[in-house]
Amino acid sequence: MNLISPSEKDFITKGIESDLRNDGRTRIAYRDFIIETGIVSQASGSCRLRLSKTDVLIGVKVEIGDIVSNTTSDNNNEQEQDIVNSQSENDKGRIVCSVECSPSASRDFEGRGANDINNELSQIMNRVLNGPQGGIDLKSLCIIPGAQCWVIYVDVLVLDYDGNLLDTIFLATRAALQNTRIPKVEIQDIGNGQLEFEISDDIEDAEKIKGWEDVPVTVTLNKIGQKYIIDATAMEELCTDTKIIIAVNKSGEICAMQKSLYGSLNPSLLTEMIRTAKDIGKVLIKNIDTTLEHEQVMASRANNKKFGFFI
Amino acid sequence: MDKRRINGPEISVKPIEKKITQTNSNDNEIRKNNRSIENIRPIFIKPNVIKKANGSAYYEAENIKVICGVYGPRSSKRSMVSDEGNIYCEFKFAPFSCNKRCGYIRNAQEREYSLIIQQAFLPAIRLNLYPKSTIDIYITVLENDGTTACLAAAITCASIALTDAGIQMYDLVAAASATCIKGNICLDPDASEEENDTNSKFMLSYMPSLKQITHVLCTGKMEAEQSIEAINTCIDACNSIKTVMDHCLINSL
């Protein structure tokens, strides 16, 4: 475990009290990030995002999977209800997220401690992205209703760590999903209601994921003393007793909210945090979208080359 | 006019209607069960139900049934030296509790809920009084009728069990759940209301006397102002759940 001395903690807390942080930022200032998409050739979409020293690599793979209905029951009374359910569930694809914190990134990710962190982060991602709040049109991932669908696997690898991991992951996920292309599928009817599909090999035919624009980003607010900050560094995270994670989408709607760590907070402070998160989330999405647009313009130029891992 | 028949009166009068208040009829349209939007299921809590445990409690609210056992403070299994105690929580759905059978090994959701319950109690328990020791909380859901409501029930139940075990706490922790149906915040949603995944789900745990939120969990799209409204509604519900908890604890003495 990373440790912090009481005097360091006091210094950071007092600084935040007077709206000045160790790296010269104010309480609600974000660090700059570097982003690069499409750097893993084997993946359907990929992105590497660095926020100061926090470094994540995301690979998205799309694969064909079976549709699993959420509700199966043998109870006669509920059969009718089940049919209604299965109809609504049968035409949806799904997203599977998993986070892997590399033990080389931080001492916190060693041994069993990593399992808890990985599980918590993966669960938050799965909860936010699967469902209407995730933005992605799950119905468009369906190939044959009741049988086959596209499954989007989002695998996150944390390479380096300097605080604010979850925000970084969500920013990178948005970029990676923007970068993802799904191969085109042609469905043929081979008689007596049987359907067959063929996957096109042509890369030019591949389509973007529908609804990536509405994928939310998270804003993590760390309560230090009686104030809160966003985008905390690893040192500042050690001074934090309560963390509030709020997912916000492009139009400023709240998509998820969760508390973490061991502290508690006042209802009025939480209200204030929600309003701040809403404003910051909207700005963040705008920033990342302009960065991605800029990258696409650069990519369309003739002498485009990827920097990859060497910057 | 037909004289052979008995004719009705020529003038008609409006039928006398039973007066139904506007809000009630609206509520009925929103919720299928006969509850108004800010109505929670009646709660029954009984402490000290497991003899072997240091503290235990049973919670029932219509079809939600939760049992919780608290063991400890006992010495930590890991030999790590710490001047603060720690909490270990295990949340489990009984195999027969849900629509679908769930196995004996805890799945990702149950592990996450365990973590949430642990985080909800960390601010409430005076851990500095229990160095080198662990407090184990084991929660089993016997019957599930709304997963979010079950989580809230588990927290409320564990709170009573901890009190029953004589663990020193700053305050009782009460928890409430809510869902947003067609823009209305409805408290304590049941399984049928939860199924529709366009409804956002909300869970909040709160220390009523200290006025501190110990945990908040929310999934689903919501306007910022609406989520603030949901927080306030849940806080009110927590306050009323606290009176039930107080009553139950006083009765058990």
Side-chain angles (χ1 to χ4, degrees), chain B residues 26-32 37 179-186 196 198-200 226:
Chain B
N26 270 344
D27 285 352
N28 287 341
E29 280 161 31
I30 299 161
R31 297 194 101 163
K32 289 197 182 83
I37 54 168
T179 185
C180 187
I181 303 173
K182 293 174 201 150
N184 295 283
I185 312 285
C186 301
N196 188 349
T198 47
N199 299 344
S200 47
Q226 209 175 19

Side-chain angles (χ1 to χ4, degrees), chain B residues 50-51 187:
Chain B
I50 305 168
K51 290 288 165 289
L187 279 169

Side-chain angles (χ1 to χ4, degrees), chain B residues 102-201:
Chain B
C102 36
Y104 287 100
I105 303 159
R106 282 193 297 164
N107 61 23
Q109 191 195 35
E110 288 164 332
R111 267 182 281 144
E112 195 203 7
Y113 279 9
S114 306
L115 193 70
I116 287 169
I117 294 166
Q118 188 195 358
Q119 284 170 349
F121 280 107
L122 278 167
I125 297 176
R126 297 188 64 188
L127 287 167
N128 54 328
L129 297 178
Y130 306 104
K132 294 180 192 171
S133 35
T134 310
I135 297 157
D136 295 312
I137 307 170
Y138 297 100
I139 299 160
T140 309
V141 176
L142 302 174
E143 221 175 309
N144 176 2
D145 190 10
T147 315
T148 325
C150 269
L151 179 63
I155 292 173
T156 310
C157 181
S159 188
I160 295 290
L162 283 164
T163 319
D164 184 42
I167 308 280
Q168 298 229 24
M169 296 204 283
Y170 293 108
D171 192 8
L172 284 172
V173 182
S177 57
T179 185
C180 187
I181 303 173
K182 293 174 201 150
N184 295 283
I185 312 285
C186 301
L187 279 169
D188 199 13
D190 60 22
S192 63
E193 287 168 325
E194 230 174 41
E195 251 159 29
N196 188 349
D197 60 359
T198 47
N199 299 344
S200 47
K201 291 158 218 150

Side-chain angles (χ1 to χ4, degrees), chain A residues 43-109:
Chain A
S44 315
S46 59
C47 166
R48 188 191 189 197
L49 195 143
R50 291 202 291 174
L51 184 77
S52 181
K53 272 184 180 162
T54 304
D55 194 340
V56 285
L57 176 65
I58 295 187
V60 180
K61 276 269 194 193
V62 287
E63 277 174 22
I64 288 171
D66 293 336
I67 289 179
V68 271
S69 182
N70 264 343
T71 42
T72 40
S73 162
D74 299 321
N75 198 332
N76 277 335
N77 294 339
E78 283 172 347
Q79 231 166 33
E80 204 177 358
Q81 212 177 12
D82 271 356
I83 293 163
V84 179
N85 279 334
S86 49
Q87 270 173 354
S88 62
E89 288 291 328
N90 263 355
D91 55 352
K92 277 182 183 173
R94 60 183 185 275
I95 304 165
V96 180
C97 308
S98 77
V99 182
E100 169 81 27
C101 294
S102 163
S104 62
S106 164
R107 284 189 64 192
D108 291 336
F109 305 149

